[in-house]
Amino acid sequence: MAMVRGRRAHRKLATRDALQRAALELVRSNGPDAVTVEEICARAGVSPRTFFNYFTSKEEAIIDWDAEIDAFVTTAVAERPPAESPVRAIRAVLASAVGDAMGMDMWQDRMELIREQPGLIGRFVAVMGSVQRALAAGVARRTGLATDHLYVAVTAAASVAAIRTAIQAWTDAPDGTDPARLIDDAFAYLESGLAPPAH
Amino acid sequence: MAMVRGRRAHRKLATRDALQRAALELVRSNGPDAVTVEEICARAGVSPRTFFNYFTSKEEAIIDWDAEIDAFVTTAVAERPPAESPVRAIRAVLASAVGDAMGMDMWQDRMELIREQPGLIGRFVAVMGSVQRALAAGVARRTGLATDHLYVAVTAAASVAAIRTAIQAWTDAPDGTDPARLIDDAFAYLESGLAPPAH
DNA sequence: TCGATAGTTTGCAGTCAGTGCAAGGAATGC
DNA sequence: GCATTCCTTGCACTGACTGCAAACTATCGA
């Protein structure tokens, strides 16, 4: 957490938080398409114009993304034991990261939201793009290859495809299903070169 | 090609084509954000309201997608020799499909467009989602597993990630680079379980 | 050939997202 | 205190997109 100095900076954080909270609540009860920026602002006690000083789109307020998470993912992947293959490193980092996230109320809420409101998938995909770049940076550091080397890019993209699929499967699965298990299985398929299951 | 009977159906096709052509030309010269639906319609000789009888968004007119292609991909994957693994089957189908597409002027144009106008990537991703569903259906038919089986879903998603990455790499590569080669390399990484290149 | 029918186009009016600008207000540094 | 800087807000505007009802036109049966 960055230090907050001064009344001004504090108020900014509070406003941002109020907007996000208002957006989340309204979308939760009405669905994403039935909520207008105006309503969100009314609830947060802020003018509509101000909304766009904080977020560039309605969806961004609902599911925002912190650049700090990307930085964390990059270094976490880079610093896994060198003996591990890149995919293994990614698998380890994501399994624990997602596991942690599921423990946090805020994320539990958002995941539930995505589960219920398919209209937010677009935004979710955008966020995953951010994760993909972070993973690519980590793999690049770890292998000494360039970020845009084909191997690095494919590894990051395929890994994100795997988590995305696992999360998708989880949203379709019955309540109580363990997401970590699905992520693990998805990565196992990846690491096997996508060989069909013995079955 | 479906048979066109009657003047009415013929005119409809012509209008659709005119709109698409107009959109493509304008975007080509001005970039996607600088083109309005109104301009597209003026050039196609049609009222703005009519535009939305044909396409649900501006982007859809620029890069549209035919459901017939999806159907083709599904059966092509399903009918590859049974000895091939699912990824191999996908690789074979996509390599030839993309190879063919590159030969067609229309697609060459669109690819150039995506290369030059990063603002269209969102729409491109949407189209890839359609391809992903088609691939999943093909793999399901071929393995006897359900379409939403985790293995099937991961295979389709990872394959799409591989093509998308290859195309991305191609857009960044110098002119004259062979896209088929990049696709091939990307799938080779996938099939190896994302093992890092020897080098 | 004519007239009923059904499919298409279009104008109109309206909602909503998102942006640029300039004025007002409040925190901050000196 | 006072000037500066940052933030908010209202206003006016562009542009995507939708529903509705009226005008038009191809089609088809009598």
Side-chain angles (χ1 to χ4, degrees):
Chain A
M1 302 291 153
M3 211 189 351
V4 179
R5 58 154 165 272
R7 198 169 312 187
R8 194 125 79 186
H10 188 271
R11 235 192 93 75
K12 260 199 103 169
L13 280 190
T15 304
R16 187 186 183 87
D17 195 63
L19 281 171
Q20 240 170 274
R21 205 172 290 275
L24 220 56
E25 288 165 359
L26 285 171
V27 169
R28 183 158 211 72
S29 52
N30 304 353
D33 293 339
V35 173
T36 67
V37 170
E38 211 174 310
E39 286 172 321
I40 296 174
C41 294
R43 182 178 264 248
V46 155
S47 109
R49 186 63 186 81
T50 300
F51 181 92
F52 293 102
N53 291 336
Y54 286 89
F55 307 98
T56 59
S57 77
K58 197 172 53 168
E59 287 72 23
E60 211 177 283
I62 300 165
I63 303 180
D64 81 332
W65 192 245
D66 195 333
E68 284 180 31
I69 305 181
D70 288 343
F72 167 78
V73 166
T74 300
T75 62
V77 167
E79 289 169 0
R80 292 285 310 177
E84 288 179 354
S85 77
V87 220
R88 247 200 193 251
I90 292 175
R91 183 178 182 168
V93 168
L94 291 181
S96 85
V98 174
D100 285 0
M102 291 302 163
M104 291 192 287
D105 278 358
M106 191 181 63
W107 279 99
Q108 192 111 29
D109 271 13
R110 286 181 187 169
M111 286 301 179
E112 290 290 332
L113 201 58
I114 293 172
R115 182 178 209 148
E116 292 161 11
Q117 309 288 352
L120 291 173
I121 286 179
R123 173 66 189 153
F124 180 64
V125 168
V127 164
M128 283 292 147
S130 178
V131 174
Q132 180 175 329
R133 278 187 295 279
L135 290 177
V139 172
R141 284 243 295 272
R142 154 174 277 276
T143 57
L145 298 168
T147 319
D148 60 353
H149 186 286
L150 190 62
Y151 167 74
V152 174
V154 169
T155 301
S159 298
V160 165
I163 335 166
R164 195 158 33 81
T165 306
I167 294 182
Q168 180 68 43
W170 176 71
T171 64
D172 297 340
D175 279 7
T177 304
D178 179 18
R181 174 66 185 280
L182 287 169
I183 294 179
D184 222 54
D185 287 352
F187 271 95
Y189 288 134
L190 257 199
E191 286 190 73
S192 78
L194 297 176
H199 124 93
Chain B
M1 302 288 156
M3 213 190 348
V4 179
R5 58 154 164 275
R7 196 170 313 186
R8 193 125 78 186
H10 187 272
R11 238 193 91 76
K12 259 199 105 166
L13 280 190
T15 304
R16 187 186 183 86
D17 195 63
L19 281 171
Q20 239 170 272
R21 205 172 290 276
L24 219 56
E25 289 166 358
L26 284 172
V27 170
R28 183 157 213 72
S29 53
N30 304 353
D33 293 338
V35 173
T36 68
V37 170
E38 210 174 310
E39 286 172 323
I40 297 173
C41 294
R43 183 177 263 247
V46 155
S47 109
R49 185 64 186 81
T50 300
F51 181 92
F52 293 101
N53 291 337
Y54 286 90
F55 306 99
T56 60
S57 76
K58 195 172 56 167
E59 286 73 22
E60 210 176 285
I62 300 165
I63 303 181
D64 81 332
W65 191 246
D66 195 334
E68 284 180 32
I69 305 182
D70 288 343
F72 167 77
V73 166
T74 299
T75 62
V77 168
E79 289 168 0
R80 292 287 308 180
E84 288 179 354
S85 77
V87 220
R88 261 236 160 229
I90 291 175
R91 182 179 183 168
V93 168
L94 290 182
S96 85
V98 174
D100 285 1
M102 290 302 163
M104 293 192 287
D105 278 358
M106 192 183 59
W107 280 98
Q108 192 110 33
D109 271 12
R110 287 182 187 168
M111 286 302 180
E112 290 290 330
L113 202 58
I114 292 172
R115 183 180 208 147
E116 292 162 10
Q117 309 288 353
L120 291 173
I121 285 179
R123 173 68 189 151
F124 180 64
V125 168
V127 164
M128 283 293 144
S130 178
V131 173
Q132 181 174 329
R133 279 187 295 280
L135 290 177
V139 172
R141 285 242 295 271
R142 154 173 277 274
T143 57
L145 298 169
T147 319
D148 60 352
H149 186 286
L150 190 63
Y151 167 73
V152 174
V154 169
T155 302
S159 297
V160 165
I163 334 167
R164 195 158 33 81
T165 306
I167 294 182
Q168 181 68 44
W170 177 70
T171 65
D172 297 340
D175 279 7
T177 304
D178 179 17
R181 173 65 185 280
L182 288 169
I183 294 179
D184 223 54
D185 288 350
F187 271 94
Y189 288 133
L190 257 200
E191 286 189 73
S192 77
L194 297 175
H199 136 86

